[in-house]
Amino acid sequence: MSELIIKAKKLKESSNILKTLNAKQKNRAILEIAKSIEKNEEYILLENKKDVEIAEKKGIKKSLIDRLALNEKRIKGMIEACKTVVNLKDPVGEMFDSFLREDGLRISKVRVPLGVIGIIYESRPNVTLEATILALKSGNSVLLRGGSDAINSNKAIVKAIKEGLENSEIPINSIELIENTNRELVNEMLKLNEYIDLIIPRGGKGLIDFVVKNSTVPVLETGVGICHIFVDESADLMKSIDIIDNAKTQRPGTCNTVETVLIHKNIADKILSDLKIRLEEKGVEIRGCEKVLKIVDVKKATEEDWATEYLDLILSIKIVEDVNEAINHIKKYSTGHSESILTENYLNAMKFVNEIDSAAVYINASTRFTDGGEFGMGAEMGISTQKMHARGPVGLKELTTYKYIIQGNYNVRD
């Protein structure tokens, strides 16, 4: 029996215990994890430094190193995430859609854990903590397979988590990390239907496509974000520049970062020069369509640019005729993640919201808000870009399913 199957079997056994625990027991465990993360902060940062140094030697771009790096502020954010999740309502046991038949039979849906969740992710080591606390709070055990670039960080965080669980009623085998970075183990993980109930890939297009094509375990797709902002002719130009700046430069290596900006033709010459100055001050490389090039001196955009998730300080800009052309462009190139319209025109805003079929659609706001923490979930397993079961940030409720509870009085069917 392989080491992976041994871990998966332990997770399955732990999930049977987890689903019987109440909210207080789970919350106490998560608070113990928070204490252990704080206690082990120096050790976690030291191990993370090893990963960052290796990435720098490999010449990994800065935006991706930013996703990998931890610091005191991010450790504090991880601890705060624990406390936020503790304060959230436990979805397990929630009864809904209940009704009473004429014969006295009561039929209800009750929320229950999924069981064992496997998550495959790249870079960001804080996902190790977020995935764990969300899984545990929703009554699930979790198998973690992080990227090789964050292996030292992930091992340190899991060690701290398990130390915390030792002071709780949750089995320490409710969380397991695949420490062997051999990619063949991912293939094996994707076939463990006997033990794993759901696989969540969180990373780039290549990873997600591989998991979807090769997994026999059900998959919840997350992640790839070719996000758009459309600046309508009625938009406040300076506020629009602020939003584009935020959406592109705050954390360019995240999936909710804007990659393409569409600008109404009637305001292009009024906004482009100031937008170029602002973005280039932040180190952004702008790639524009032919019409953009006639107004400002930037690199020419290619067809490939419209279909690229840069995850870097690069932004493509296109001038469009109107809201209709903007919507059609987004329909063609969007990955279904996050799109925003900046406008003072109510009808255009409603048209945009009604016709754009992405997980998150914004009016006059940055796409950077598509995040479990910002949506009040404390943390997230990822951003689901599919339409079944869960969509948008995947939080506690999205990590549960339901079963029917039927209460009778010795009823028989006629």
Side-chain angles (χ1 to χ4, degrees):
M1 189 180 291
S2 72
E3 183 181 350
L4 178 56
I5 291 178
I6 291 171
K7 287 186 174 184
K9 192 174 181 180
K10 289 179 180 177
L11 288 166
K12 194 70 173 178
E13 293 167 354
S14 296
S15 72
N16 289 327
I17 297 172
L18 265 169
K19 67 184 181 183
T20 67
L21 301 182
N22 60 41
K24 284 185 178 180
Q25 291 169 310
K26 291 183 285 187
N27 286 340
R28 280 197 295 267
I30 294 170
L31 289 175
E32 289 296 336
I33 289 172
K35 290 178 187 176
S36 187
I37 293 292
E38 186 172 24
K39 176 185 172 184
N40 288 280
E41 178 179 341
E42 187 176 339
Y43 168 63
I44 293 170
L45 291 177
L46 189 64
E47 293 301 300
N48 178 251
K49 186 179 178 183
K50 293 178 184 178
D51 291 328
V52 171
E53 288 174 351
I54 292 170
E56 289 173 340
K57 287 177 182 177
K58 288 181 178 178
I60 303 297
K61 57 187 180 182
K62 289 183 179 180
S63 60
L64 295 184
I65 290 177
D66 177 63
R67 296 175 70 174
L68 174 63
L70 294 175
N71 52 38
E72 290 183 10
K73 182 179 178 181
R74 290 181 182 175
I75 294 289
K76 185 178 179 182
M78 291 163 67
I79 294 167
E80 286 302 313
C82 290
K83 295 175 181 177
T84 301
V85 168
V86 162
N87 289 325
L88 294 176
K89 181 182 177 183
D90 186 347
V92 177
E94 176 191 352
M95 186 174 288
F96 59 106
D97 289 350
S98 178
F99 66 96
L100 188 66
R101 291 175 21 141
E102 289 182 0
D103 61 0
L105 201 66
R106 178 167 290 281
I107 300 176
S108 310
K109 288 180 181 177
V110 177
R111 225 171 265 290
V112 295
L114 289 166
V116 180
I117 298 171
I119 178 165
I120 304 169
Y121 55 107
E122 300 169 337
S123 296
R124 298 170 62 183
N126 58 308
V127 173
T128 302
L129 183 278
E130 291 182 5
T132 298
I133 59 176
L134 286 173
L136 297 182
K137 178 72 180 254
S138 55
N140 300 290
S141 55
V142 61
L143 178 60
L144 304 161
R145 203 291 184 177
S148 58
D149 53 348
I151 187 60
N152 294 300
S153 309
N154 290 337
K155 286 164 71 174
I157 293 168
V158 168
K159 183 174 182 290
I161 290 170
K162 284 182 175 281
E163 283 182 15
L165 290 180
E166 286 176 354
N167 299 317
S168 78
E169 294 167 80
I170 289 183
I172 62 169
N173 296 123
S174 297
I175 166 179
E176 294 289 352
L177 172 70
I178 300 177
E179 297 184 3
N180 188 329
T181 57
N182 188 327
R183 292 190 178 183
E184 282 304 310
L185 288 177
V186 173
N187 257 326
E188 185 180 352
M189 179 179 175
L190 298 179
K191 305 294 190 294
L192 293 180
N193 297 64
E194 184 179 352
Y195 303 105
I196 301 176
D197 298 284
L198 181 70
I199 294 283
I200 302 176
R202 180 169 173 171
K205 187 177 187 299
L207 168 67
I208 294 169
D209 287 348
F210 177 83
V211 171
V212 170
K213 290 175 183 176
N214 292 279
S215 182
T216 56
V217 178
V219 175
L220 178 63
E221 292 182 52
T222 71
V224 179
I226 300 178
C227 303
H228 300 79
I229 292 177
F230 168 52
V231 188
D232 195 17
E233 64 178 324
S234 64
D236 182 302
L237 300 189
M238 288 312 299
K239 289 178 181 178
S240 295
I241 290 173
D242 289 340
I243 284 178
I244 295 167
D245 178 6
N246 175 264
K248 180 75 261 183
T249 69
Q250 190 201 32
R251 287 197 70 186
T254 60
C255 62
N256 55 21
T257 296
V258 67
E259 306 293 18
T260 297
V261 169
L262 306 170
I263 298 177
H264 194 289
K265 65 176 184 179
N266 291 346
I267 59 164
D269 59 347
K270 300 174 185 176
I271 191 174
L272 275 172
S273 295
D274 289 338
L275 179 61
K276 178 177 183 287
I277 292 169
R278 171 77 71 87
L279 293 178
E280 289 186 345
E281 284 176 352
K282 302 285 186 71
V284 177
E285 176 188 306
I286 298 173
R287 300 177 184 180
C289 69
E290 292 284 358
K291 292 178 181 178
V292 169
L293 267 61
K294 291 178 181 177
I295 300 174
V296 289
D297 181 20
V298 296
K299 187 175 179 179
K300 183 180 178 181
T302 65
E303 177 66 23
E304 185 181 358
D305 283 305
W306 311 126
T308 299
E309 182 186 27
Y310 299 116
L311 298 175
D312 202 354
L313 288 171
I314 303 172
L315 179 71
S316 54
I317 300 178
K318 182 178 182 180
I319 294 173
V320 295
E321 288 290 313
D322 52 24
V323 66
N324 292 311
E325 187 181 348
I327 289 170
N328 288 333
H329 178 98
I330 293 170
K331 284 180 178 179
K332 183 175 180 180
Y333 297 102
S334 171
T335 54
H337 196 296
S338 302
E339 329 295 347
S340 181
I341 181 172
L342 310 182
T343 186
E344 296 297 318
N345 185 310
Y346 175 79
L347 293 178
N348 282 353
M350 290 303 100
K351 181 180 179 65
F352 189 87
V353 168
N354 291 332
E355 295 189 25
I356 294 298
D357 192 19
S358 292
V361 185
Y362 292 85
I363 301 171
N364 296 333
S366 168
T367 56
R368 285 283 292 124
F369 285 103
T370 308
D371 174 88
E374 297 294 333
F375 281 21
M377 298 175 179
E380 69 188 38
M381 280 286 194
I383 309 295
S384 170
T385 53
Q386 66 182 42
K387 300 180 183 181
M388 298 184 70
H389 170 59
R391 199 174 192 194
V394 178
L396 294 175
K397 191 171 286 189
E398 290 74 28
L399 297 177
T400 63
T401 181
Y402 60 83
K403 63 183 177 184
Y404 283 93
I405 303 294
I406 303 93
Q407 297 169 282
N409 186 23
Y410 299 95
N411 296 62
V412 294
R413 180 172 175 177
D414 295 333

